[in-house]
Amino acid sequence: VPDFIVLITDGAPTTSNSGGDHAANAAAAATAAKAAEIEIFVVGVGTTGSTATYLETSIASTDPPEHYFDAADFVDLEAILEALTECPNGG
């Protein structure tokens, strides 16, 4: 069973344990997780164009590219989370 992270966020890093550039720190943590073969699925809720792009290109796993999902509201969020729980190859 592969390890994975489901991250639900507005895409605007506002704090990190390392201080400094919070967006860069989040991207570095995502890169480390990916290097450890952890898939990262990201659901952006209420994102802007730039934060959605940041989440899709810097945080979410990109192979396959279907690891970023944009949710306009919590109804969309529920549908996305339900879809993530389904196994595409039947188990």
Side-chain angles (χ1 to χ4, degrees):
V1 175
D3 292 324
F4 63 91
I5 296 169
V6 176
L7 177 66
I8 302 169
T9 179
D10 66 357
T14 55
T15 189
S16 64
N17 292 337
S18 302
D21 183 340
H22 306 306
N25 294 341
T31 298
K34 292 175 211 172
E37 298 183 10
I38 299 171
E39 284 187 83
I40 303 174
F41 294 88
V42 179
V43 182
V45 180
T47 60
T48 65
S50 62
T51 55
T53 299
Y54 162 74
L55 292 172
E56 186 172 11
T57 61
S58 299
I59 305 298
S61 294
T62 56
D63 188 26
E66 299 85 26
H67 282 64
Y68 176 75
F69 306 89
D70 195 52
D73 53 34
F74 287 103
V75 173
D76 284 351
L77 176 60
E78 181 180 6
I80 290 167
L81 294 177
E82 286 176 1
L84 283 173
T85 63
E86 297 174 5
C87 184
N89 63 8

